[in-house]
Structures are given as structure tokens and as C-alpha cells.
């Protein structure tokens, strides 16, 4: 998932991921850097912050005008990121203090997202019966097990989105691709992989919006 080497710092990983989700830009503002430093000092994993950025970016995408950045600043992600940090701490504390039987019943973030995705697809099959065969295929071949971590969860969601896209009529696919091709002058300064991640994010968000699979 990361666009940087494994030796990259927490701050580098978060900045890289945020700029890819934003779809433009070269660096963070002084205020954003201060916020990022405060997250780093809390010692939470990069994946926890990335979840909040991803959810913030998808929600903001619906209100963004063509050509505008999805997120204007890292501070725009603060509420979602700190919600994810709170959930992470609650799960970590619960795992250490609850009884084994209760801990076994606590679902991880990946388990929750996996269950939500399956439920959304079941609703989709009811609303759009023409997609029911593809949904059935996804349930059996892609969603048969819970991803082990955040990166695997993103890969699973990406595969689901792309396979659903392929099941749509060509005119719809073409329009969704066109919607997702929002370009920004600053993208010329981004790495090839960062631009690719930004385009993929926009495309998959457009597919989820078209099919009613937006995050709750």
C-alpha cells in the first residue's frame, strides 16, 4: 500500500498517503505538520491514521468540484483520524483487560469492514438483480475470508470495486472512468505510483457511489 520504502518514518508514510488521497500537492503546511507530529507522538501504527485519511477523503469526494483537491489539508482528516485512534486504543485496552471469552468476541477493524462490505453487496444484489451473479462470485472467490491487515483489506476492497466496475455496461464504465480522471496541475510533481493511487481512489469511490456502497 505504501509508496515509500519500509525504512520510511511514520511522518513520511502519512504525508505520502495523504498527498496521494488528496491527488495533488508537494508538502504539508506548518499547521498540518504540527498535527502530524502530535499523531506520531501518540505511537499509533501508520495504518490507523491511514484509515482515517481514507474515510475522510471518500466522504469529501462527493462535495469536491471538478479539478479541486479532494482534501484541502490534513487537518480536514482530524476528526476521522482521531476517531480511528480512539477505536484502536479501545480495542488494544480491551484485548489486554477483558476475559479470553470476551476478547474472542471483539471484532477487529478488518472483521468489521469485511462484514460491512458483505452486507452492502447483499443489498446491492437485491436492488440490482442484474449484478447478483457478480456479487455471488465475489462472495465465494474474494470475500470468503477476512483480510489479515489494513493493506490486505484495501487490496480486497479494490478488487471488489474493479470487478463490479467490469460488470457494468460499457457506457457506464466509460463515464465512471471519465469522472475519476480529475487532474490537478500539481500532479506532475507527484511520483508515478502516487498519481496511480490517486486515480484508483477516485475511480473506486465513483464505483461505490454509483452502486450505493458508500461508507456508513
Amino acid at each position: 500500500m505504501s509508496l515509500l520504502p519500509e525504512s520510511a518514518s511514520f511522518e513520511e508514510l502519512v504525508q505520502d498517503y495523504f498527498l496521494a488521497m488528496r491527488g495533488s500537492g508537494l508538502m504539508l503546511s506548518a499547521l498540518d505538520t504540527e498535527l502530524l507530529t502530535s499523531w506520531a507522538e501518540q505511537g499509533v501504527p501508520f495504518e490507523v491514521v491511514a484509515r482515517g485519511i481514507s474515510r475522510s477523503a471518500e466522504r469529501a469526494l462527493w462535495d469536491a468540484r471538478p479539478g479541486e483537491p479532494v482534501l484541502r489539508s490534513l487537518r480536514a482528516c482530524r476528526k476521522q483520524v482521531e476517531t480511528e485512534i480512539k477505536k484502536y486504543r479501545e480495542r488494544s485496552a480491551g484485548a489486554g483487560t477483558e476475559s479470553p471469552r470476551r476478547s474472542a468476541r471483539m471484532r477487529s477493524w478488518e472483521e468489521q469492514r469485511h462484514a460491512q462490505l458483505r452486507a452492502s453487496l447483499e443489498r446491492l444484489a437485491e436492488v440490482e438483480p442484474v449484478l447478483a451473479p457478480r456479487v455471488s462470485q465475489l462472495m465465494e472467490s474474494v470475500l470468503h475470508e477476512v483480510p489479515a491487515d489494513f493493506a490486505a483489506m484495501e487490496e480486497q476492497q479494490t478488487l471488489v470495486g474493479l470487478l463490479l466496475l467490469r460488470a457494468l455496461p460499457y457506457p457506464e464504465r466509460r463515464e465512471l472512468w471519465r469522472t475519476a480522471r480529475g487532474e490537478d496541475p500539481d500532479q506532475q510533481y507527484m511520483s508515478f505510483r502516487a498519481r496511480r493511487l490517486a486515480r484508483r481512489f477516485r475511480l473506486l469511490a465513483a464505483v461505490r457511489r454509483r452502486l450505493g456502497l458508500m461508507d456508513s
Side-chain angles (χ1 to χ4, degrees):
M1 177 188 65
S2 171
L3 309 179
L4 296 175
E6 293 183 2
S7 59
S9 68
F10 173 88
E11 290 88 345
E12 289 173 327
L13 288 170
V14 172
Q15 175 171 308
D16 186 66
Y17 190 76
F18 166 72
L19 293 178
M21 291 294 97
R22 185 176 189 267
S24 64
L26 295 173
M27 60 186 67
L28 302 180
S29 69
L31 290 175
D32 281 349
T33 300
E34 182 180 343
L35 177 61
L36 175 54
T37 299
S38 73
W39 290 339
E41 291 173 347
Q42 295 185 52
V44 297
F46 156 71
E47 290 79 7
V48 174
V49 175
R51 293 170 194 162
I53 293 173
S54 179
R55 291 176 69 86
S56 296
E58 182 162 329
R59 292 185 177 188
L61 183 61
W62 315 136
D63 299 322
R65 297 178 180 178
E68 285 188 345
V70 175
L71 295 168
R72 294 189 177 278
S73 68
L74 186 62
R75 298 187 306 284
C77 306
R78 183 170 190 163
K79 182 177 180 180
Q80 284 296 326
V81 169
E82 294 186 350
T83 295
E84 292 299 330
I85 291 175
K86 181 180 179 181
K87 290 178 181 177
Y88 167 76
R89 294 198 181 286
E90 289 174 347
R91 287 195 297 269
S92 298
T97 60
E98 298 289 346
S99 66
R101 285 184 72 182
R102 182 171 177 79
S103 295
R105 295 199 302 270
M106 296 177 64
R107 296 198 300 178
S108 67
W109 181 85
E110 288 76 22
E111 288 173 326
Q112 293 172 4
R113 292 284 287 183
H114 184 260
Q116 290 170 358
L117 184 54
R118 288 185 64 94
S120 294
L121 289 176
E122 289 172 356
R123 290 194 296 270
L124 175 62
E126 295 176 357
V127 174
E128 299 199 36
V130 68
L131 294 177
R134 178 54 55 91
V135 169
S136 178
Q137 177 190 20
L138 290 171
M139 291 291 197
E140 295 178 4
S141 62
V142 179
L143 297 171
H144 60 285
E145 62 181 10
V146 178
D149 52 34
F150 177 63
M153 185 74 245
E154 283 208 329
E155 290 176 4
Q156 186 180 82
Q157 291 179 145
T158 296
L159 183 55
V160 168
L162 292 177
L163 290 176
L164 286 173
L165 176 64
R166 291 180 61 183
L168 296 173
Y170 174 72
E172 282 198 67
R173 296 202 306 270
R174 181 178 60 185
E175 184 59 29
L176 288 171
W177 274 106
R178 187 175 300 166
T179 300
R181 288 184 61 189
E183 295 291 339
D184 186 281
D186 285 347
Q187 284 194 352
Q188 64 180 310
Y189 302 108
M190 297 170 64
S191 71
F192 170 75
R193 290 202 292 176
R195 291 196 302 271
R196 184 175 61 181
L197 178 58
R199 287 195 298 268
R200 187 185 71 181
F201 163 73
R202 287 178 177 270
L203 175 63
L204 294 176
V207 170
R208 287 195 290 272
R209 184 180 189 184
R210 155 65 181 86
L211 300 176
L213 301 177
M214 293 172 60
D215 287 343
S216 59

